[in-house]
Amino acid sequence: MSEDVVTMDKIVALCKRRGFIFASSEIYGGLGSTYDYGHYGVLLKTNVKNEWWRAMLQERDDIVALDSAILQHPDVWKASGHLAGFTDPMVDCRTCKARFRADHIAERQPGIVCPKKPSKVPGEGPDCDLTEARDFNLMFKTNVGPVESTSSVAYLRPETAQGIFINFKNVLQFARKKPPFGIAQVGKSFRNEITPGNFIFRTREFEQMEMEFFVPPAEAPQWYATWKQIRFDWYTRLGIRPAGLRLREHEADELSHYSSGTADVEYLFPIGWSELEGIANRGDFDLSAHAAESRTKLEYFDPGSGERYVPHVIEPAAGADRATLAFLVDAYDEEQVDGELRTVLKLHPRLAPVKVAVLPLVKKDGQPDIAKEIVASLRGLMQTEYDEGGAIGKRYRRQDEIGTPYCVTVDHETLTERTVTVRDRDSMAQERVAIDDLPALLAGRLAQPWSSPKLG
């Protein structure tokens, strides 16, 4: 992928220019590492989440959905180990007042540089004066109720997984499932990161797509291997080029104390190889910990064999924001067309924020009326946009930049022949199509298999 023209700066600029993502609280100078999603960003990230739900629920019959609360009993985080162990080692520079994670400095991670001398790692610059490392808990603390006291302390959840574990018994009672089965959830999480950055790759408020798959203990290794491949394939099916993906197994010294195996789906971002999703064999740690803390049995009884056991858990955990960023990066392309630079997002049509844009060639002669009639016929079938502002070439370029797969142009011939021009985003090929045939034709093309044109 070294031939790619994409950089993080280009992605940030495109997202701002075309209304995908903005810095939050921008008119007040911003708030560190928080972002607001604009219209096209909302549509794109919603499509990413919908494709995840499709893979978890529509394409399987062994997973059910959950939406747990962001605020949970503080003992949840005591049992899970987050109160005692969810910390990062933090150092401050007495000279420039910047703050860094000590482990990121030691690993010389990309982007960890001295603010006063970017060619140096923090601590190696001539003016650097770093403090000793000290632990810093990543959970955001708040209070429940009108009075602030130690008894009212609560936390914004740092992950969605614990909401699934504490609802295991509820789901088991209503869902009529038995292991192996999964509980899936999409929702916001919050981490008071020491060194967030690289746009939406690492933020303090983010959205997770997590599934906990409960299995008989003896089947855990088999399901761990299965889910690693399933989750890797999900990204390639949605258009990410295989050369930019890898599945990296964690070394023994990287594993959490409860994990017998963890692997990351990593993507080659402009900042280097970084985690998109983690798949972990968590054993029975979570259910056992919550059972002990709550004094509630969290186990499965098999009426056929009479056996009782605490299921083991395989956890695929992905970030919706990171996935959105990866799809943007992989889709970004620049081409020379008739001596001009064309910037285009070659997104999988299922992910594209807008599927079809309808464009009247001119704003007269009844063309806008026919265009709006076409929009009305398509709107219930697919995300459709009407665009009449500016020259037709500029409108094509605008739609290219937001990744719209098809543009439908109404022109003078439409008035007499009831036909329109359909333009393909990737090939820029155009063909004449009858208006009455448009809904079926476009729906059929959007449903066809697709692979990135950047594969050549």
Side-chain angles (χ1 to χ4, degrees):
M1 293 177 71
S2 58
E3 76 280 9
D4 275 1
V5 296
V6 64
T7 65
M8 197 64 85
D9 286 342
K10 289 180 179 180
I11 292 294
V12 173
L14 174 66
C15 286
K16 175 70 183 292
R17 181 170 70 251
R18 291 302 178 203
F20 281 88
I21 302 167
F22 317 110
S24 184
S25 310
E26 193 171 19
I27 63 172
Y28 290 101
L31 178 64
S33 197
T34 58
Y35 292 91
D36 299 334
Y37 282 74
H39 176 68
Y40 297 119
V42 170
L43 293 175
L44 173 59
K45 189 164 79 160
T46 297
N47 290 341
V48 170
K49 292 185 290 185
N50 286 344
E51 288 302 317
W52 187 86
W53 279 122
R54 181 204 298 269
M56 292 295 165
L57 300 183
Q58 291 176 240
E59 297 175 359
R60 304 183 65 95
D61 58 8
D62 56 358
I63 299 175
V64 297
L66 179 74
D67 185 4
S68 66
I70 288 173
L71 293 175
Q72 295 166 5
H73 195 288
D75 284 352
V76 170
W77 308 113
K78 179 182 176 185
S80 68
H82 284 83
L83 274 181
F86 194 57
T87 57
D88 280 337
M90 174 181 70
V91 297
D92 291 298
C93 179
R94 298 183 181 93
T95 305
C96 68
K97 310 304 180 187
R99 178 167 287 169
F100 310 96
R101 275 179 55 173
D103 56 332
H104 284 182
I105 295 175
E107 295 163 6
R108 306 179 83 90
Q109 288 201 2
I112 305 300
V113 297
C114 172
K116 288 195 168 186
K117 197 169 182 61
S119 62
K120 297 287 187 180
V121 173
E124 296 180 358
D127 299 322
C128 290
D129 182 15
L130 300 183
T131 64
E132 291 295 318
R134 59 196 188 279
D135 285 339
F136 173 76
N137 195 288
L138 302 181
M139 287 198 294
F140 280 102
K141 187 183 293 187
T142 187
N143 291 88
V144 175
V147 179
E148 290 191 18
S149 68
T150 54
S151 62
S152 69
V153 168
Y155 301 90
L156 301 185
R157 66 182 181 195
E159 63 177 35
T160 58
Q162 301 306 319
I164 295 176
F165 296 130
I166 62 176
N167 276 290
F168 172 77
K169 186 175 181 180
N170 290 330
V171 173
L172 198 61
Q173 289 172 341
F174 87 83
R176 293 178 290 115
K177 301 287 185 188
K178 65 178 184 178
F181 80 99
I183 304 174
Q185 177 167 218
V186 174
K188 285 287 185 77
S189 294
F190 306 83
R191 294 183 184 179
N192 197 9
E193 296 278 4
I194 298 168
T195 54
N198 290 317
F199 197 32
I200 58 170
F201 179 80
R202 178 175 282 108
T203 56
R204 293 187 170 99
E205 175 186 345
F206 55 97
E207 205 157 6
Q208 289 185 288
M209 306 180 295
E210 289 195 303
M211 192 273 293
E212 309 301 329
F213 202 69
F214 301 92
V215 302
E219 297 180 19
Q222 166 202 335
W223 279 109
Y224 174 58
T226 298
W227 276 108
K228 283 192 294 184
Q229 193 61 52
I230 289 172
R231 294 308 305 150
F232 184 90
D233 292 345
W234 183 79
Y235 293 96
T236 58
R237 280 194 355 240
L238 289 171
I240 295 220
R241 292 165 291 165
L245 281 176
R246 70 184 183 189
L247 193 62
R248 186 184 70 84
E249 200 77 32
H250 282 206
E251 300 291 341
D253 59 355
E254 294 181 87
L255 294 174
S256 303
H257 64 88
Y258 52 77
S259 173
S260 60
T262 297
D264 290 340
V265 178
E266 295 185 335
Y267 177 69
L268 185 54
F269 289 96
I271 58 173
W273 287 101
S274 299
E275 179 191 351
L276 262 184
E277 174 167 350
I279 302 94
N281 183 349
R282 299 177 67 109
D284 65 358
F285 169 78
D286 302 281
L287 290 180
S288 296
H290 286 298
E293 184 68 30
S294 67
R295 299 178 183 175
T296 302
K297 286 186 178 180
L298 298 177
E299 60 185 14
Y300 174 72
F301 172 69
D302 186 338
S305 66
E307 180 187 9
R308 291 183 183 274
Y309 62 85
V310 178
H312 284 209
V313 174
I314 310 301
E315 176 194 72
D321 305 273
R322 285 189 185 183
T324 297
L325 180 59
F327 288 121
L328 280 169
V329 167
D330 213 69
Y332 184 95
D333 206 3
E334 295 175 356
E335 301 170 344
Q336 286 290 331
V337 178
D338 298 329
E340 294 184 0
L341 185 68
R342 175 174 96 122
T343 300
V344 55
L345 288 182
K346 295 179 177 178
L347 289 163
H348 193 298
R350 295 223 300 252
L351 297 180
V354 175
K355 312 304 183 191
V356 183
V358 183
L359 323 170
L361 188 63
V362 295
K363 292 190 285 186
K364 59 182 181 179
D365 301 331
Q367 290 185 26
D369 295 331
I370 296 177
K372 289 174 182 176
E373 172 194 329
I374 293 170
V375 169
S377 71
L378 297 175
R379 183 164 279 156
L381 302 173
M382 60 198 72
Q383 188 70 37
T384 307
E385 182 169 284
Y386 174 81
D387 188 358
E388 64 175 22
I392 190 68
K394 288 188 176 181
R395 281 181 276 166
Y396 282 152
R397 293 294 177 263
R398 185 157 61 227
Q399 295 299 327
D400 288 341
E401 286 200 340
I402 64 173
T404 305
Y406 299 104
C407 287
V408 173
T409 304
V410 174
D411 55 23
H412 303 293
E413 194 176 335
T414 306
L415 305 177
T416 55
E417 303 294 330
R418 293 282 294 174
T419 60
V420 292
T421 297
V422 176
R423 173 188 181 267
D424 181 273
R425 174 199 68 200
D426 297 332
S427 67
M428 292 186 288
Q430 299 186 17
E431 65 178 302
R432 208 71 194 171
V433 175
I435 289 177
D436 291 342
D437 294 339
L438 272 177
L441 180 134
L442 291 171
R445 290 189 180 176
L446 289 168
Q448 289 175 355
W450 184 92
S451 62
S452 173
K454 296 173 73 177
L455 288 169

